[in-house]
Amino acid sequence: MQVDIQRMDEVLEKVCLALLCLILVFSTLAFGAVRATEFAVATGLVLLALVLWLVRLWIAPNPRLLWPPVCWLTLLFGGYALVRAHFAPVQHEAQEEVLRVGVYALFFLWALNNLYRQEASRWVTLCLSLLAVGVSLYAMVQFVTGDTMVWHLFKPATYAQRGSGTFAYPNHLAGFLTLLLPLAITFTLAGRLNYPTRIITGYAALIMLGGIAVTLSRGGWLAAFVALVLLAAALFAMRQYRIPVLVILIVIFLGGIWFYGQAQEKIKRRVAAAFDRGHDRDPRWRLWEAGIQLWQDSPWWGHGPAHFDLVYPKYRQPVNHTQLRPNFALNEYVNTLVDYGAAGVGILTLAVALGLGGGWRAWRALSHSIHQEELRGGKRAFLMGAGIGWIGLLLACVTDFHFHLPAIALTAFALLALMCGHLRFATERYWVPLSRPTLFFFSLSLLMVGGFLGVRAWRSAEHAYWQRQADRAESGAVQLAALHRAWEAQPLSHWVAHQIGEYHRRKSWRQEGDYINQARTAMEWFQRAIELNPMDSYALIRLGMCHDWLGEHDLAEPYFLRALELDPNNYYTLANMGWHYFQRRQYRRSKVWFAASIRLNWWDNPTAYAYYRAAERLWHEKP
């Protein structure tokens, strides 16, 4: 019977390994799992993995957990995020963020406790190398052909001339490949692999370099360069790897010269843009300045999970480069400071330090067990490659928000878990035996947390699905029905409330049926949107417009003024201030607001142009 249990456990361990690879491959190929529907699938796979974990614990004769100090920090940050979300001003965004944090935390703990053998590291490295090859080749095709699609969806037009692979944002591909590139190189040089497998990982490393190049990501290039320098320095210290390292550096140098010759103009434009000053400087600098100001408003606890985009408009700079919605600060550290404050950043910093420190400790232990100049067995090769890859990703986070992309976060935490799993070669002190009562309590806690996250993920996916159906609807009735289904799935979504209000407002303005009641209905939904998101200037503007439409100009003005207070340097807010005074027939005053709006957006602002000309004509005609 004991043999049967051991075989069953071995089978379950292999299933866990296959499931880990499936999660990483799916999340990467499915647009980075950035959309709620794809992330729900990844969440379901993680929950299935937790069930397998519990089965393995319950069939084991002596169940135990591998629980290094980083696990406590993981739980601490998860709890901190949950508390901060509970007190956040906007619940919808905060809860969506907590869902992802919870999934990442459970995924890390599961991978750490189920895939700590050397075979797991080898197979995960090979899987990720092949995945990176496919994504990089796709990015090269996009770069050469100018393809504007990612699978069947269009990516933003500004990235049409850059390779992004299966991600919408080229910089995310650069960060993803920077994380994996050192791992492919160390396994090629030092892993205990047969020659065909080494050829595969070596080929993967070369293709990854090409993939990073075609992203035209300046931050990605710099992060990859630093990671390669660190890797070369570490390998060069070992005598038997000096010649291979020199060969690799020469190949990279020659490849860089060839690529520069092929894409010289694009590279020059990208590099020159990084050094622009004055009005044309990179919007990143403006976002970082605004982010620091936002953090100073709430330095210890932050504004709330996923709140940067919600609170940013108050500090938007009055230039045309800041008019679009940023979503993130384009700097993971600034973004995290704004969302979680110094306390949250401190917990995360300590967690990452303990995780990478665990890998370093395992490296030291393995150094004493084998010859000092060898990376025999692949253990140290994995630790070196994964550790330097993490350093490269952390450097790339200075210019982008890589950990907000689920595919990158899941891949990074999988590698960190496998690194920490190597601690079992350094010490036995982190194994925690579980008695049956303790195992029962642990299992119950895991099922409760998993069930909570599963329900959240399902509702989030359902909400996103019906929103997409509303966007695709060809008739107003179908669109309204889909929006109400989305509202039922997620009644905390201020954006859905705004969309329902906008549907009724437009119907009222077309004077279809009882337009007064339609306007009143729209106002009710806009009021709900404001209650759910007090920082939503757009709902305030729409509510004021409905009052103006009904001739209630005095009631409308406070809403426009409040919107201006929340987003004072937005061309849309300024244009609607002008529209409000135009309705009040204060044409001279409205012209001032329309002119200010045009100064911030002169390329796509038809409302301000049209009303400015109308206000000028009516002002001259006014007796």
Side-chain angles (χ1 to χ4, degrees):
M1 186 64 181
Q2 183 70 29
V3 175
D4 293 338
I5 292 177
Q6 184 176 354
R7 288 179 179 176
M8 184 183 299
D9 185 69
E10 291 175 356
V11 170
L12 289 176
E13 184 177 2
K14 292 178 180 178
V15 173
C16 286
L17 177 57
L19 195 55
L20 174 71
C21 294
L22 178 60
I23 292 170
L24 299 183
V25 171
F26 172 80
S27 59
T28 301
L29 298 182
F31 310 104
V34 70
R35 302 193 304 178
T37 46
E38 286 80 8
F39 186 73
V41 176
T43 301
L45 294 174
V46 172
L47 297 181
L48 176 60
L50 296 181
V51 173
L52 294 178
W53 184 14
L54 291 179
V55 172
R56 292 190 68 195
L57 287 174
W58 278 99
I59 67 173
N62 298 303
R64 59 179 184 169
L65 296 177
L66 182 58
W67 202 262
V70 66
C71 295
W72 294 113
L73 272 298
T74 302
L75 295 181
L76 178 61
F77 183 78
Y80 176 80
L82 186 63
V83 172
R84 289 298 300 123
H86 178 73
F87 293 102
V90 184
Q91 283 295 297
H92 176 62
E93 275 77 1
Q95 291 187 11
E96 291 289 302
E97 178 79 359
V98 167
L99 167 63
R100 299 194 175 195
V101 170
V103 171
Y104 299 155
L106 291 182
F107 177 76
F108 172 78
L109 296 175
W110 165 76
L112 174 62
N113 280 274
N114 289 271
L115 300 168
Y116 47 77
R117 300 185 188 278
Q118 182 181 350
E119 292 77 9
S121 302
R122 185 182 301 120
W123 281 106
V124 169
T125 299
L126 184 59
C127 172
L128 289 175
S129 297
L130 293 174
L131 176 63
V133 167
V135 176
S136 298
L137 290 174
Y138 186 25
M140 293 178 190
V141 172
Q142 292 171 329
F143 179 78
V144 173
T145 63
D147 187 8
T148 59
M149 305 287 286
V150 176
W151 298 134
H152 62 286
L153 297 178
F154 284 98
K155 62 182 178 182
T158 53
Y159 308 138
Q161 300 301 317
R162 300 169 59 188
S164 63
T166 55
F167 305 119
Y169 189 32
N171 291 12
H172 282 153
L173 175 60
F176 178 73
L177 297 177
T178 298
L179 173 65
L180 300 180
L181 176 61
L183 194 58
I185 293 176
T186 55
F187 260 75
T188 301
L189 294 181
R192 181 174 287 178
L193 305 173
N194 55 36
Y195 284 106
T197 307
R198 288 195 181 197
I199 292 173
I200 291 174
T201 56
Y203 176 76
L206 291 176
I207 297 299
M208 285 185 215
L209 285 168
I212 294 172
V214 299
T215 62
L216 299 183
S217 170
R218 296 159 300 189
W221 288 345
L222 183 60
F225 174 77
V226 173
L228 287 173
V229 169
L230 291 175
L231 182 61
L235 290 172
F236 204 76
M238 304 174 190
R239 184 175 304 171
Q240 69 271 37
Y241 299 116
R242 290 175 182 173
I243 294 179
V245 167
L246 287 175
V247 172
I248 291 174
L249 292 177
I250 292 172
V251 170
I252 293 174
F253 178 73
L254 294 177
I257 292 177
W258 178 84
F259 179 72
Y260 181 79
Q262 297 297 313
Q264 184 174 353
E265 293 302 320
K266 291 182 180 180
I267 295 173
K268 284 183 176 180
R269 285 197 299 269
R270 290 289 295 164
V271 174
F275 296 97
D276 283 342
R277 294 291 182 267
H279 179 81
D280 291 327
R281 67 175 177 159
D282 195 310
R284 280 179 172 80
W285 296 103
R286 304 183 189 278
L287 289 175
W288 298 348
E289 290 171 359
I292 295 300
Q293 290 177 309
L294 286 169
W295 169 60
Q296 291 171 346
D297 283 350
S298 183
W300 289 108
W301 313 114
H303 293 270
H307 270 51
F308 174 83
D309 191 52
L310 301 172
V311 296
Y312 162 76
K314 187 176 180 180
Y315 290 98
R316 188 195 308 270
Q317 295 184 3
V319 294
N320 61 300
H321 292 299
T322 63
Q323 295 307 299
L324 298 178
R325 180 177 176 179
N327 294 314
F328 302 99
L330 296 181
N331 181 308
E332 197 69 72
Y333 307 103
V334 172
N335 210 110
T336 307
L337 277 172
V338 173
D339 288 351
Y340 295 100
V345 169
I347 296 172
L348 281 175
T349 302
L350 186 57
V352 172
L354 287 175
L356 295 179
W360 172 250
R361 185 174 180 183
W363 166 275
R364 295 282 302 273
L366 290 169
S367 299
H368 294 298
S369 63
I370 59 178
H371 193 275
Q372 187 175 3
E373 292 189 353
E374 292 180 349
L375 296 176
R376 187 173 299 157
K379 300 183 185 72
R380 293 180 69 199
F382 177 81
L383 291 170
M384 177 187 289
I388 293 178
W390 251 86
I391 293 173
L393 181 61
L394 292 175
L395 289 173
C397 285
V398 174
T399 57
D400 278 292
F401 50 101
H402 294 293
F403 281 96
H404 280 82
L405 192 81
I408 296 179
L410 289 169
T411 304
F413 291 131
L415 294 179
L416 188 64
L418 294 175
M419 288 175 61
C420 292
H422 282 71
L423 275 170
R424 71 190 185 93
F425 298 111
T427 179
E428 291 289 323
R429 62 181 297 187
Y430 299 128
W431 285 106
V432 179
L434 297 176
S435 63
R436 289 300 167 178
T438 305
L439 179 57
F440 176 79
F441 176 76
F442 177 78
S443 302
L444 182 61
S445 301
L446 205 60
L447 289 174
M448 290 176 62
V449 174
F452 172 77
L453 295 177
V455 171
R456 290 284 185 189
W458 176 265
R459 292 177 61 183
S460 178
E462 187 180 6
H463 166 258
Y465 170 79
W466 286 112
Q467 272 198 302
R468 285 206 293 271
Q469 295 303 308
D471 293 338
R472 298 169 182 170
E474 297 181 357
S475 68
V478 174
Q479 181 188 35
L480 184 62
L483 287 173
H484 277 286
R485 293 291 298 273
W487 174 259
E488 292 171 4
Q490 182 51 274
L492 294 176
S493 176
H494 57 90
W495 178 237
V496 170
H498 185 284
Q499 287 178 297
I500 295 175
E502 182 67 4
Y503 170 85
H504 289 288
R505 183 194 69 82
R506 291 181 177 179
K507 192 171 182 180
S508 173
W509 284 28
R510 291 193 297 265
Q511 298 189 17
E512 298 177 3
D514 188 348
Y515 75 92
I516 294 179
N517 283 335
Q518 288 289 341
R520 297 295 181 192
T521 302
M523 292 165 67
E524 292 176 3
W525 282 101
F526 288 135
Q527 189 62 51
R528 290 187 189 182
I530 294 168
E531 292 171 358
L532 293 170
N533 180 7
M535 295 170 283
D536 185 1
S537 61
Y538 295 100
L540 288 163
I541 288 171
R542 286 294 190 257
L543 188 53
M545 292 175 75
C546 288
H547 278 298
D548 276 332
W549 170 245
L550 298 177
E552 301 166 348
H553 302 302
D554 291 335
L555 295 176
E557 186 147 342
Y559 294 109
F560 286 101
L561 293 176
R562 176 58 178 161
L564 184 65
E565 181 182 350
L566 292 173
D567 200 352
N569 295 317
N570 184 358
Y571 83 96
Y572 186 77
T573 307
L574 302 182
N576 279 282
M577 284 296 299
W579 182 89
H580 168 65
Y581 290 119
F582 187 92
Q583 304 306 310
R584 304 198 71 161
R585 301 186 179 182
Q586 298 177 13
Y587 302 123
R588 185 173 184 178
R589 194 172 185 181
S590 69
K591 280 179 54 182
V592 175
W593 291 103
F594 290 133
S597 176
I598 292 169
R599 281 196 296 271
L600 292 178
N601 181 357
W602 58 85
W603 66 93
D604 185 23
N605 199 352
T607 300
Y609 276 113
Y611 273 96
Y612 180 87
R613 289 190 292 265
E616 187 173 30
R617 176 176 55 81
L618 291 171
W619 179 59
H620 286 298
E621 293 176 359
K622 188 176 181 181

